[in-house]
Amino acid sequence: MANCAIVGINWGDEGKGRMVDLLTDHYDIVVRYQGGGNAGHTVINEYGKFALHLLPSGLFRPGVLNVLGNGVALDAENLMKEIETVRAGGVNVSPENLKISCRASLLLPWHRELDELEENRLADRKYGSTKQGIAPFYSDKYAKKTVLAGELLRPDRLKSRLAGLLEWKNLTLERVYGAEPWTEARLWDWIGTWGERLKPFLADTGILLQNAARDGQRILFEAQLGTLRDLDLGIYPYTTSSNTIAAYAPIGAGCPGVGTDEVVGVCKAYSTCVGEGPFVCEWFGEEAEKLREAGGEYGAKTGRPRRVGPLDIVATRYGVRMQAATCLALTKLDVLSYMDQIPVCEKYLVDGEETGEFPLPMLLDEARPVFRTLPGWKEDISAVRRFEDLPEAARNYVLFVERETGCPIRYVSVGPERDSIIVRPV
Ligand code: GDP
């Protein structure tokens, strides 16, 4: 039985949530293995429209077990609020269908505060953080200065560990940023309000997943963001602070011996990017506004208008390689239906030379896109369900991306709804 990772090929927001929502039907367990509440998956199904931030997208399927692995930034406050929102939509969320790793580190309230303080200090040099505390959280995790969720089960030990962390963190808050210190009472109040509510969900999810895999259950690993935001392989420093690539999935899920047999790379039919950082094929002005409107490109978490541009083949090919994608899901093809001609960025011009390879991040600022144009189809394709029923120009667009990336395109998505999908036998 194949385990599968669903990952973003580009900058994130490719439509991973809708692909997980579609494919969870074939899986017993869905695991989030990295990141926190700093991005959003939009899922539209029979319960309505949801923006998920930390919760796995398998929650909408009865019988599917959902897991938050050790690799996530466990923000108890945001998670509990998100659970309430999803429950209000009639979706069952309980310790029966949601398990949280005891090994997940806790995102503490000062992480969000520090994110804000640092972005304010940087002013116009800011990284474009969503201010959810992710970078300070992962910095502290790697510096061994946070606590594991399982420590909530040992309050005495937790109290002394947190007292030490409080003393250390206040040095930074007060002396570096001139901010208010945290008090033990305030911290315990937060733990009592939010941390306590995690307890019923805590489990040794590593063992659970290893046993499930041994027993032939199928596991779906769900990533947040995309290749270009991967801490090691992305557009550093404009990356996130965790690893978004599929190879990290078994580690962040706590079951390193459980491999991913399939990697579905989700790739949008054009490019979008939220936040700061180099974006070689970015469009501006009216052209950009038209595409943004057509695609409804506003951040699920922040509502920020996304930066948009034509499909970037150079970045996409790199994304496919870094994700070791076994197939692609090309999403939002319907959005391009308004265009007479569809430009795609085929190469970059770097240091006066054309290249098809994605360069080092520092060279991206000076890289210039080399476009070619493909014919548009100018008709509504949102009701098409078979590849052969797409207009010829739309089929050719898909085949062009397949050829250029060297990766079979198994899914073509033509609308946000669960069934707006074309499945190709590749
Ligand atoms: P994720 O973080 O990768 O899950 O992506 P987001 O949820 O941030 O962004 C994807 C957006 O596109 C959501 O609003 C989806 O409902 C929407 N969407 C996904 N696939 C399609 C599609 O094929 N066509 C259209 N028109 N919208 C889509």
Side-chain angles (χ1 to χ4, degrees):
M1 296 287 238
N3 298 322
C4 171
I6 297 190
V7 295
I9 290 293
N10 306 115
W11 294 264
D13 305 316
E14 298 93 346
K16 294 174 294 297
R18 71 98 63 234
M19 289 309 300
V20 177
D21 182 60
L22 175 77
L23 296 177
T24 40
D25 210 13
H26 306 288
Y27 292 89
D28 303 293
I29 306 177
V30 178
V31 192
R32 273 286 310 270
Y33 61 88
Q34 47 79 223
N38 50 327
H41 291 321
T42 309
V43 177
I44 301 176
N45 55 31
E46 71 267 32
Y47 293 99
K49 181 173 179 177
F50 297 88
L52 297 184
H53 302 294
L54 195 50
L55 285 172
S57 305
L59 274 170
F60 302 104
R61 299 271 192 187
V64 169
L65 178 66
N66 296 273
V67 172
L68 290 177
N70 49 278
V72 303
L74 185 56
D75 180 340
E77 183 172 342
N78 271 353
L79 178 66
M80 289 304 151
K81 289 177 181 167
E82 192 176 330
I83 288 177
E84 287 316 315
T85 309
V86 172
R87 278 180 177 154
V91 181
N92 170 41
V93 185
S94 72
E96 297 304 306
N97 69 348
L98 176 66
K99 306 271 183 209
I100 300 174
S101 172
C102 282
R103 284 183 168 274
S105 296
L106 289 187
L107 187 142
L108 295 165
W110 51 56
H111 290 134
R112 209 166 315 158
E113 210 170 299
L114 280 164
D115 211 347
E116 175 112 37
L117 288 165
E118 178 58 10
E119 284 285 279
N120 290 345
R121 187 191 71 82
L122 285 168
D124 59 357
R125 289 168 298 145
K126 67 183 189 299
Y127 289 107
S129 165
T130 55
K131 300 183 184 167
Q132 296 299 308
I134 303 299
F137 162 81
Y138 278 109
S139 308
D140 281 4
K141 172 175 169 172
Y142 285 95
K144 298 157 303 233
K145 298 280 194 195
T146 182
V147 291
L148 303 186
E151 292 182 73
L152 289 165
L153 304 170
R154 294 288 182 90
D156 285 347
R157 183 192 146 86
L158 179 67
K159 202 159 194 159
S160 67
R161 290 254 296 125
L162 280 177
L165 293 181
L166 179 89
E167 184 188 321
W168 172 77
K169 191 51 83 182
N170 279 342
L171 290 174
T172 310
L173 282 169
E174 288 184 286
R175 299 198 195 171
V176 176
Y177 292 103
E180 282 294 302
W182 271 75
T183 62
E184 216 164 310
R186 204 170 139 222
L187 186 58
W188 270 102
D189 190 41
W190 187 89
I191 294 281
T193 309
W194 302 109
E196 282 297 305
R197 293 168 66 183
L198 289 176
K199 281 184 178 174
F201 296 95
L202 296 181
D204 185 337
T205 53
I207 287 191
L208 185 152
L209 291 169
Q210 282 165 51
N211 290 345
R214 184 200 58 203
D215 297 342
Q217 293 197 35
R218 293 169 53 125
I219 303 170
L220 187 65
F221 299 99
E222 177 181 14
Q224 179 218 35
L225 299 169
T227 319
L228 302 173
R229 300 295 188 190
D230 183 274
L231 179 63
D232 287 86
L233 303 169
I235 50 172
Y236 191 87
Y238 297 100
T239 58
T240 194
S241 303
S242 64
N243 291 102
T244 60
I245 53 164
Y248 183 74
I251 300 171
C255 51
V258 177
T260 48
D261 308 286
E262 266 192 89
V263 177
V264 179
V266 187
C267 169
K268 212 177 263 187
Y270 51 95
S271 300
T272 64
C273 165
V274 174
E276 310 295 318
F279 185 37
V280 174
C281 61
E282 182 165 13
W283 270 353
F284 299 93
E286 202 181 316
E287 212 173 23
E289 198 48 47
K290 259 185 159 168
L291 181 54
R292 187 176 300 119
E293 279 304 311
E297 297 297 348
Y298 299 90
K301 178 77 192 178
T302 57
R304 286 187 288 191
R306 290 176 182 148
R307 299 158 72 191
V308 298
L311 182 66
D312 184 335
I313 290 287
V314 181
T316 301
R317 201 184 294 120
Y318 177 76
V320 165
R321 192 147 46 88
M322 292 302 118
Q323 294 287 12
T326 55
C327 73
L328 287 178
L330 189 68
T331 59
K332 300 192 108 168
L333 189 66
D334 55 302
V335 172
L336 299 182
S337 296
Y338 77 90
M339 290 188 191
D340 295 319
Q341 300 278 316
I342 308 178
V344 288
C345 169
E346 215 177 15
K347 291 193 172 144
Y348 291 169
L349 193 62
V350 182
D351 285 340
E353 285 193 25
E354 284 192 1
T355 176
E357 295 297 329
F358 196 69
L360 271 182
M362 64 184 187
L363 296 175
L364 287 169
D365 284 335
E366 39 195 271
R368 294 290 163 259
V370 179
F371 291 115
R372 74 176 268 178
T373 306
L374 301 178
W377 46 90
K378 293 287 275 186
E379 64 181 279
D380 182 7
I381 57 168
S382 58
V384 176
R385 295 293 175 267
R386 296 188 318 168
F387 188 67
E388 54 272 32
D389 294 339
L390 281 173
E392 191 185 359
R395 287 202 306 275
N396 285 341
Y397 189 82
V398 175
L399 295 175
F400 171 81
V401 179
E402 188 168 76
R403 205 170 46 245
E404 289 294 317
T405 56
C407 191
I409 297 181
R410 188 181 301 159
Y411 307 95
V412 179
S413 166
V414 290
E417 303 81 14
R418 193 181 268 174
D419 68 343
S420 304
I421 194 93
I422 296 168
V423 183
R424 291 177 69 215
V426 290

